[in-house]
Amino acid sequence: MFTIQKVSALEILDSRGRPTVKATCVFQDGTTASASVPSGASTGAAEAIELRDGDPKRYQGLGCRKAVANINRDINAALAGRTVKAQEEVDAVTRELDGTANKSRLGANAHLAVSLAFARACAQARRVPLYQHFADMMGQPLRTLPRPTINLFSGGKHAGELCPLQDVLVVPVSATTIDQSLADTFAVYQSAAKLIAKKYHMRPLSADEGGLAPIFPDPEAMFADAVEAIEQAGLRPGHDVALAVDVASSHFHTANGYQLGDRLLDSPTMIEELARWAKNYPLVSLEDGLSEEDWDHWPKLRETLSGQTRVVGDDLLCTNPERIRKAVELGAADTLLLKVNQIGSLSEAKDACLLARRAGWQVTISARSGETEDDWLADLAVGWAGDQIKVGSITQSERLSKYNRLLEIETATRLPLVTWPTPAPL
Ligand code: PGA
Ligand code: ZN
């Protein structure tokens, strides 16, 4: 039992310099813990609503003072003095107080900040590490560490839309530890930076998540250059280091089809294109290959890539149990990209995770493109036994705080890295 004395919040800045919310939860016994929420740029249409102030004179309307005030006033009034047993109770109180399906009244940023701060306070009060508390919340023992999927090249909304594909990521598949995964990735990142300087005559400018972002002549060049960088690092493409891609295709999908560079493709042709990439490059995971509303074609995409490349739903699913249920019924994907701020509370994200697991799917626990230095995501990925973790590149402190936390957890627990190859998709 935990008796909440007070919840409060303040506006802080994220890795893009935009406002976000940091909440603090204080228990009657003096336990005090804080947590900060991230924010996306290539957001799914079905995400819970981040409350922004809309005042054009301040942070171009992106201020979070209203969300902060909602925590300090309404949410604090509803929670202060309450004794609760579990996370679900706190999340239910804020959900009922909000009264909207998409959390637009109080703001998903307000909800999640409180949800996370409460979880961290519980871990502290129980004197267990946060990852252990998350595992207990899920009712499962600690099993494995997630395999990192690390941003190498960026495009799309994270890099001025110079290239349509959002991320090409490296997956260190022969690594057996987090430590080795990061060392292998560093080698590839360094050789990629050199390659880019030579090929595109540019300094290694990096995008929102720290990926390298030259002007690639076409989407396929991102894969070809990534393979070359792996080879130049002395590693074997597909054997030591494989590739993943976040196509984020909702963001170049129009009423007329997929605007892939200078080509306009209908859905069946887009699937053929994706299948060709999967055949020609060591692509083990493909996220949002089709748009978030192209439900009719997702099952075909999954069938086409089955046994070869994981079909990951991000914008398609929005960590939303209803959308996941629909995708399971249709056979539209085989991997959930889980971002807790898409749904706005730990309890609902847990339901989303369990639905995916029960369907035999894998789960990738993911950061957002706008992050903070808070490292709870690493604990969540371990506690909820994520198959993969997606944080961005191995540059920039808001990304490294998560990788460094994984290193700490690895040292403290000696848990094994999740095995590779992971079981084939259904
Ligand atoms: P976002 O991007 O945080 O800007 O939505 C991350 C992703 O699409 O996976
Ligand atoms: Zn995505």
Side-chain angles (χ1 to χ4, degrees):
M1 295 289 217
F2 310 99
T3 302
I4 300 170
Q5 189 178 72
K6 187 179 175 190
V7 290
S8 61
L10 83 154
E11 185 188 64
I12 60 165
L13 300 185
D14 73 11
S15 53
R16 283 189 278 248
R18 296 179 188 168
T20 187
V21 181
K22 177 175 185 171
T24 300
C25 182
V26 182
F27 289 165
Q28 207 112 66
D29 67 1
T31 303
T32 303
S34 302
S36 306
V37 298
S39 171
S42 87
T43 46
E47 292 195 19
I49 305 295
E50 262 175 6
L51 189 62
R52 299 284 181 180
D53 297 341
D55 172 3
K57 293 207 254 344
R58 191 169 177 275
Y59 289 111
Q60 300 177 341
L62 295 172
C64 290
R65 283 179 172 172
K66 285 183 189 166
V68 164
N70 288 342
I71 294 176
N72 288 336
R73 259 195 339 249
D74 304 30
I75 297 181
N76 182 53
L79 288 177
R82 249 181 218 261
T83 299
V84 293
K85 259 205 316 267
Q87 185 75 43
E88 282 76 7
E89 291 173 58
V90 168
D91 294 340
V93 168
T94 62
R95 203 164 55 242
E96 275 157 34
L97 187 66
D98 188 295
T100 67
N102 59 7
K103 303 191 171 62
S104 55
R105 194 176 81 78
L106 299 172
N109 37 3
H111 285 267
L112 183 64
V114 170
S115 190
L116 287 167
F118 173 76
R120 195 172 254 153
C122 290
Q124 229 166 277
R126 296 180 58 217
R127 294 179 200 287
V128 296
L130 186 56
Y131 56 81
Q132 181 67 59
H133 180 67
F134 282 137
D136 297 342
M137 189 186 288
M138 200 53 100
Q140 66 187 20
L142 292 168
R143 282 203 305 257
T144 48
L145 301 172
R147 189 166 297 273
T149 60
I150 304 174
N151 201 321
L152 183 67
F153 294 139
S154 297
K157 284 200 174 314
H158 299 166
E161 310 201 59
L162 294 173
C163 180
L165 306 191
Q166 187 171 286
D167 319 303
V168 168
L169 308 102
V170 295
V171 188
V173 289
S174 68
T176 54
T177 59
I178 295 286
D179 177 60
Q180 193 189 340
S181 305
L182 296 177
D184 287 353
T185 303
F186 178 83
V188 177
Y189 191 94
Q190 294 307 316
S191 62
K194 266 196 215 137
L195 184 88
I196 293 305
K198 215 167 94 201
K199 217 166 183 168
Y200 303 106
H201 311 291
M202 66 172 286
R203 289 175 44 230
L205 295 179
S206 66
D208 287 7
E209 297 186 359
L212 299 163
I215 306 176
F216 294 100
D218 56 72
E220 229 170 303
M222 289 173 96
F223 299 120
D225 289 347
V227 166
E228 206 176 321
I230 295 168
E231 281 165 349
Q232 284 177 11
L235 295 160
R236 294 166 303 166
H239 293 276
D240 296 318
V241 177
L243 298 178
V245 62
D246 182 0
V247 184
S249 66
S250 303
H251 304 285
F252 57 84
H253 183 245
T254 68
N256 300 324
Y258 293 90
Q259 188 67 56
L260 192 61
D262 49 16
R263 287 184 302 154
L264 186 64
L265 310 180
D266 63 12
S267 300
T269 322
M270 183 69 184
I271 293 174
E272 280 169 23
E273 181 75 4
L274 299 170
R276 210 171 51 74
W277 297 344
K279 187 164 155 270
N280 292 347
Y281 303 97
L283 210 52
V284 293
S285 167
L286 193 145
E287 178 182 336
D288 282 351
L290 295 175
S291 137
E292 61 199 343
E293 294 308 338
D294 200 354
W295 286 99
D296 289 350
H297 295 94
W298 272 85
K300 177 73 184 166
L301 173 65
R302 180 188 155 172
E303 195 191 308
T304 307
L305 297 183
S306 176
Q308 183 182 11
T309 302
R310 306 292 312 187
V311 175
V312 186
D314 172 16
D315 292 352
L316 176 78
L317 305 171
C318 282
T319 316
N320 182 315
E322 262 175 54
R323 292 179 75 92
I324 296 167
R325 237 177 250 120
K326 178 172 172 180
V328 169
E329 262 165 41
L330 292 173
D334 57 44
T335 303
L336 166 69
L337 195 87
L338 185 142
K339 294 167 165 170
V340 283
N341 79 326
Q342 283 182 324
I343 190 73
S345 78
L346 280 167
S347 322
E348 288 157 289
K350 175 182 150 187
D351 293 344
C353 187
L354 287 171
L355 269 175
R357 290 274 183 233
R358 280 190 210 114
W361 288 17
Q362 289 195 351
V363 177
T364 297
I365 309 277
S366 174
R368 301 306 304 249
S369 50
E371 268 295 333
T372 74
E373 62 278 21
D374 200 336
D375 57 9
W376 54 261
L377 191 86
D379 291 76
L380 190 76
V382 174
W384 287 8
D387 299 282
Q388 289 89 29
I389 183 169
K390 182 183 178 209
V391 175
S393 202
I394 48 162
T395 60
Q396 306 181 180
S397 297
E398 80 281 2
R399 316 279 148 200
L400 295 168
S401 68
K402 282 74 163 171
Y403 292 126
N404 290 340
R405 176 68 182 147
L406 284 175
L407 287 169
E408 267 175 16
I409 298 174
E410 177 163 75
T411 305
T413 62
R414 292 282 148 216
L415 284 170
L417 196 63
V418 71
T419 51
W420 191 273
T422 45
L426 297 177

